[in-house]
Amino acid sequence: MTARQPRRLLRPLLYAAAAATVGGGILYYSYRPRNIPGSDPAVVPPKFGPDGTIAPPRFPKVRSRAEQIADLRRSAAKVPSSEATDGPFSSLFRSGSKIHNEETKVEEPYDLLIIGGGATGSGIALDAATRGLKVACIERDDFSSGTSSKSTKLVHGGVRYLEKAVWELDYNQYKLVKEALRERKYFLDTAPHLSSWLPIMLPIQKWWQAPYFWMGTKAYDFLAGSEGIESSYFLTKSKALEAFPMLKRNNVVGALVYYDGAHNDSRMNVSIAMTAALYGATVVNHMEIVGLEKDASGKLCGARVKDLVEEKNGKRAEEFVIKAKGIINATGPFTDSIRKMDDQTVDEIVAPSSGVHVILPGYYSPAKMGLIDPKTSDGRVIFFLPWQGNTIAGTTDAPTEISQNPIAGEEEINWILSEIRGYLAPDINVRRGDVLAAWSGIRPLVRDPKAKNTESLVRNHLITISDSGLLTCAGGKWTTYRQMAEEAVDEAIPQYGLRTGPVMQVPQISGTEMVDDAAPLDGTCQTHQVRLIGAHGYSKTLFINLIQHFGVETDVAKHLTESYGDRAWTVAALSAPTEKRFPVRGIRISPLYPFIDGEVRYAVRHEYAQTAVDVLARRTRLAFLNAQAALEALPMVIDLMAEELKWNSKRKDLEWRESVKFLASMGLAKSKLGVTRRDVESGKAAEYDEHERKLYSRHDRPADTIESDSKFESGENPMIGKDSPANK
């Protein structure tokens, strides 16, 4: 009896200790200290002079577009020395032998020629360049001109993919989510100025959904592991409505909030391309492939190209050949057109799908909280997210034809608005007239040409090699661009017999010799550690330094640091004085948004912008945020670019016509498609039609009181005596 007594007391104590240990572990895991990307101080802090003034950093410049084109020409033909003037970094990053004489320069062919300057193509260029390979990347239009600029702006693993993986017991779906969650963390680490964490609300409409959604979001957290940031959490109805007051009250019993990433997609794409250029890649936009070159054995050995900018300038675009040991096709929806250049008999593998998004004013959603509707009326998922001060809603998913700038249809726009009405409060009138911009992006879903069932689509991405040696990388999504690039280069190295090696002369991307990039460039893939241009000197307080040094407005300073990182110093320096007491610098190109003149100059000098659309759509995001505002900013943008690029009047007229045509694909009203520059400058283009007039109370006279509160009878004039015949 005496021996059993201690055991009875010991067992509950052990159970209690075990429970406390497990509970404590769960609490620690949920609330452990975590490193939030972008919250760290700048790797390169600003320098202060003896008098307390800031000394802005100086950064290396990328080679000019003309110098890059000269490099392309040298890969296959002799070029006059005057046309091949070396820039400040001409001797860096070069591999292969060179033959020099007094009149000509000839270089070895490129190791890789990448066709396509979207997220995948630019990512491949950066990966290969940081492995010590000699790389060229050419794009027919502009970096991110296609699918890569028309995403939902999320960097996510995919909650819905995880749900499918569980219910369908699909291991491939599970791997896709796991891979995307890892890549999400790399995204946020290498470009903290362009990407951030975003809480996304999942409304609960029935109590039985609460445990189901809770388990789903917790599984999402668990899969992310150390690559996660914040744990998902439950909100009661009152807290959910406090966080997202626009929600419909009567069908919400609570909400779950989980975390995913968000980013500025086209600025991310441009930054990847410019980082590749700094690491030695030859990167050129507006360069069109007109044919592929093969050797005597039928293997690809190069491509014929022409510079479309020459044609825009009214000149004849001379075709020339780029020689390369291997060619990679990374053209997204246009994948099959390049494959058919190689082999006319090849079966098409791209199944294009249209995804429409609309932009609404910022008051439709909280500034720091998104929302996902997991079950729309037709079973699709729709996101409702804050982005760049506005609200983005989408997307649709329907088969489509491939075109350069597809236009969002009214049917898709109205479907999105109808779904929004379903979960917003009834006193919020969701109006078609509130749509500031709308666009359609083409997602290149792919079929495996080697699969027995060619109708089935590949869920992730596909890498395939033709008999002549054309390596095609297609499919996938923005979040996994880096992984796709790594696998493509891994495949290309043995296929083309390439030899990687350490990058011996690493550019000082940070702007100082005191800071070395964390990535050891030893010939292996290091893009998960290579910080993109602008990341080194970025911090969440950098905007304060800009305000204090240049006297720019607060919202402008925040926008610049979140779009350019430490290169905001250069952008602000390129901004013209306002001749006002404050702001001192930065003339806005639109009064509604924080985009300024210095961004246009920076885009031309440092980011290869060659057209007004390059600036309005991809360097700034004005065309995506507000098509009408982009139209009204167009004259100023054209004039600034004309000063930089020495455009004549014919080129300026061409820019006007092509830009207005592009804005039609961004949702510009049909009534505005025929406006002239004179109409915009005179203010005529800003006039509203009958539909726009009815949107707001424009011409009602101001009233201090409403009729029911007036002390006077209806129609009585208080300025005339009561007994006057006029008041009888």
Side-chain angles (χ1 to χ4, degrees):
M1 292 292 291
T2 56
R4 292 179 181 175
Q5 193 69 21
R7 292 180 182 176
R8 289 180 180 177
L9 294 173
L10 186 60
R11 185 173 296 173
L13 288 173
L14 290 173
Y15 288 154
T21 302
V22 172
I26 294 173
L27 284 172
Y28 175 78
Y29 180 80
S30 300
Y31 298 102
R32 68 193 185 279
R34 308 189 200 194
N35 180 32
I36 301 174
S39 63
D40 293 333
V43 177
V44 184
K47 295 180 180 179
F48 292 88
D51 58 351
T53 58
I54 299 173
R58 297 174 63 88
F59 302 106
K61 289 183 64 175
V62 295
R63 291 164 58 82
S64 70
R65 184 174 181 275
E67 290 172 324
Q68 298 279 41
I69 292 173
D71 279 353
L72 293 178
R73 290 177 178 274
R74 279 197 294 265
S75 71
K78 295 184 178 182
V79 182
S81 297
S82 60
E83 195 174 323
T85 303
D86 284 342
F89 297 98
S90 59
S91 63
L92 303 184
F93 325 117
R94 290 285 211 282
S95 62
S97 63
K98 296 182 182 180
I99 302 172
H100 295 270
N101 61 41
E102 293 181 358
E103 297 183 358
T104 60
K105 291 184 178 182
V106 179
E107 288 193 2
E108 290 284 332
Y110 286 97
D111 291 323
L112 291 175
L113 170 62
I114 301 145
I115 307 172
T120 305
S122 298
I124 294 172
L126 178 59
D127 187 298
T130 53
R131 297 199 205 191
L133 297 176
K134 184 180 178 184
V135 188
C137 176
I138 61 172
E139 162 61 43
R140 178 181 62 181
D141 195 336
D142 185 29
F143 311 117
S144 190
S145 60
T147 306
S148 297
S149 63
K150 298 175 180 177
S151 71
T152 311
K153 322 305 179 191
L154 284 177
V155 186
H156 63 135
V159 173
R160 65 186 186 276
Y161 298 133
L162 179 59
E163 183 182 32
K164 287 182 180 179
V166 172
W167 285 109
E168 298 174 11
L169 299 177
D170 190 333
Y171 181 67
N172 288 326
Q173 289 276 12
Y174 167 81
K175 282 202 307 182
L176 175 63
V177 176
K178 186 69 176 172
E179 174 187 291
L181 288 172
R182 182 187 68 247
E183 293 300 317
R184 180 185 69 177
K185 183 63 163 55
Y186 294 154
F187 229 104
L188 295 156
D189 285 339
T190 57
H193 56 301
L194 292 169
S195 52
S196 61
W197 291 99
L198 178 68
I200 300 177
M201 181 179 289
L202 189 60
I204 299 171
Q205 298 177 337
K206 305 290 183 183
W207 276 114
W208 62 264
Q209 293 177 325
Y212 179 73
F213 288 164
W214 183 86
M215 286 188 292
T217 55
K218 288 302 176 185
Y220 197 61
D221 294 343
F222 179 77
L223 270 184
S226 61
E227 275 115 22
I229 179 64
E230 295 283 355
S231 296
S232 56
Y233 57 90
F234 175 79
L235 289 177
T236 62
K237 178 176 181 177
S238 61
K239 289 295 184 182
L241 292 172
E242 181 182 351
F244 209 117
M246 303 82 177
L247 280 179
K248 188 180 290 184
R249 301 177 64 90
N250 57 7
N251 61 349
V252 173
V253 298
L256 276 157
V257 177
Y258 70 96
Y259 284 79
D260 249 328
H263 75 137
N264 189 338
D265 51 7
S266 69
R267 284 228 48 86
M268 180 74 75
N269 197 155
V270 171
S271 295
I272 296 168
M274 292 303 100
T275 305
L278 275 177
Y279 276 100
T282 304
V283 180
V284 181
N285 55 352
H286 299 285
M287 183 71 67
E288 183 178 29
I289 290 278
V290 294
L292 297 175
E293 296 283 305
K294 296 182 180 180
D295 60 20
S297 63
K299 294 293 184 180
L300 289 173
C301 61
R304 280 180 291 112
V305 301
K306 66 177 180 178
D307 183 6
L308 298 181
V309 173
E310 291 295 303
E311 292 184 346
K312 291 180 184 292
N313 288 330
K315 301 176 183 178
R316 180 177 173 272
E318 179 187 350
E319 294 183 9
F320 63 93
V321 174
I322 304 171
K323 289 292 185 180
K325 299 173 185 176
I327 299 179
I328 298 180
N329 174 17
T331 52
F334 303 96
T335 292
D336 287 324
S337 63
I338 301 298
R339 293 177 70 244
K340 288 188 176 183
M341 277 189 186
D342 175 43
D343 181 0
Q344 284 286 344
T345 65
V346 74
D347 292 331
E348 294 186 355
I349 62 172
V350 173
S353 175
S354 169
V356 171
H357 295 82
V358 301
I359 288 287
L360 295 165
Y363 55 72
Y364 270 90
S365 68
K368 298 292 183 182
M369 175 78 73
L371 184 141
I372 179 174
D373 182 0
K375 293 292 181 183
T376 59
S377 58
D378 61 359
R380 288 181 284 186
V381 172
I382 192 168
F383 287 97
F384 196 62
L385 310 167
W387 184 67
Q388 300 285 306
N390 284 355
T391 301
I392 183 172
T395 177
T396 61
D397 185 9
T400 188
E401 297 295 322
I402 297 175
S403 60
Q404 186 72 16
N405 291 307
I407 295 176
E410 280 298 316
E411 184 178 347
E412 291 104 325
I413 293 172
N414 289 326
W415 177 82
I416 292 173
L417 296 179
S418 175
E419 294 300 322
I420 292 171
R421 293 186 190 102
Y423 54 78
L424 291 190
D427 59 339
I428 298 177
N429 184 14
V430 181
R431 307 176 297 183
R432 175 63 177 86
D434 285 340
V435 176
L436 303 175
W439 69 84
S440 174
I442 300 176
R443 185 186 179 196
L445 303 174
V446 291
R447 306 181 186 93
D448 188 344
K450 297 179 181 178
K452 293 181 180 179
N453 178 13
T454 57
E455 293 303 312
S456 60
L457 299 176
V458 177
R459 290 187 178 92
N460 198 351
H461 57 273
L462 173 71
I463 296 175
T464 182
I465 302 174
S466 71
D467 293 338
S468 63
L470 178 66
L471 190 153
T472 295
C473 182
K477 59 181 185 176
W478 236 120
T479 309
T480 57
Y481 89 91
R482 194 210 63 83
Q483 179 69 27
M484 293 168 62
E486 180 180 350
E487 292 180 15
V489 177
D490 285 346
E491 191 75 29
I493 289 169
Q495 175 69 25
Y496 303 127
L498 307 179
R499 295 180 62 184
T500 62
V503 178
M504 304 305 296
Q505 293 177 295
V506 180
Q508 297 168 13
I509 292 183
S510 65
T512 175
E513 296 178 353
M514 297 172 62
V515 176
D516 190 14
D517 202 292
L521 303 181
D522 56 3
T524 62
C525 177
Q526 294 294 326
T527 48
H528 61 291
Q529 298 184 80
V530 174
R531 296 186 185 95
L532 298 187
I533 186 171
H536 295 80
Y538 170 74
S539 72
K540 290 187 179 295
T541 58
L542 177 60
F543 76 96
I544 299 174
N545 300 133
L546 284 186
I547 297 170
Q548 292 177 337
H549 188 75
F550 290 108
V552 295
E553 294 174 276
T554 301
D555 61 335
V556 170
K558 287 183 176 180
H559 154 68
L560 293 181
T561 56
E562 291 169 2
S563 298
Y564 301 90
D566 57 24
R567 266 45 175 193
W569 289 106
T570 307
V571 178
L574 290 171
S575 303
T578 63
E579 307 302 335
K580 299 178 182 178
R581 190 183 70 82
F582 195 86
V584 179
R585 281 180 179 266
I587 300 172
R588 294 183 186 238
I589 64 175
S590 169
L592 301 175
Y593 296 92
F595 306 119
I596 58 174
D597 59 324
E599 296 181 73
V600 182
R601 297 185 184 94
Y602 182 86
V604 173
R605 298 183 191 184
H606 301 277
E607 293 182 338
Y608 299 166
Q610 296 295 307
T611 69
V613 171
D614 292 352
V615 171
L616 287 171
R618 270 91 61 175
R619 304 311 186 278
T620 70
R621 306 311 308 275
L622 187 56
F624 281 82
L625 291 168
N626 191 321
Q628 176 67 27
L631 176 68
E632 294 169 9
L634 187 54
M636 182 178 178
V637 170
I638 289 177
D639 287 346
L640 287 169
M641 295 188 73
E643 290 177 12
E644 295 288 324
L645 296 169
K646 312 304 179 189
W647 289 345
N648 58 26
S649 59
K650 288 185 178 180
R651 176 63 194 273
K652 291 169 74 172
D653 291 341
L654 176 67
E655 285 300 313
W656 179 268
R657 294 192 302 272
E658 292 190 345
S659 298
V660 173
K661 182 180 178 182
F662 172 81
L663 290 177
S665 70
M666 290 287 107
L668 185 66
K670 292 181 179 179
S671 61
K672 303 295 173 66
L673 298 182
V675 300
T676 64
R677 174 171 178 151
R678 183 174 297 176
D679 291 335
V680 172
E681 292 176 330
S682 66
K684 186 177 179 181
E687 294 177 358
Y688 39 84
D689 56 24
E690 182 65 18
H691 173 70
E692 291 174 307
R693 187 187 70 79
K694 293 179 179 179
L695 283 176
Y696 306 100
S697 176
R698 295 179 184 273
H699 302 299
D700 294 347
R701 291 175 294 178
D704 292 330
T705 59
I706 58 176
E707 188 174 338
S708 61
D709 291 337
S710 178
K711 299 176 182 179
F712 302 97
E713 298 292 334
S714 177
E716 182 180 342
N717 188 338
M719 301 304 293
I720 302 175
K722 192 170 185 180
D723 296 332
S724 171
N727 276 327
K728 292 181 180 179

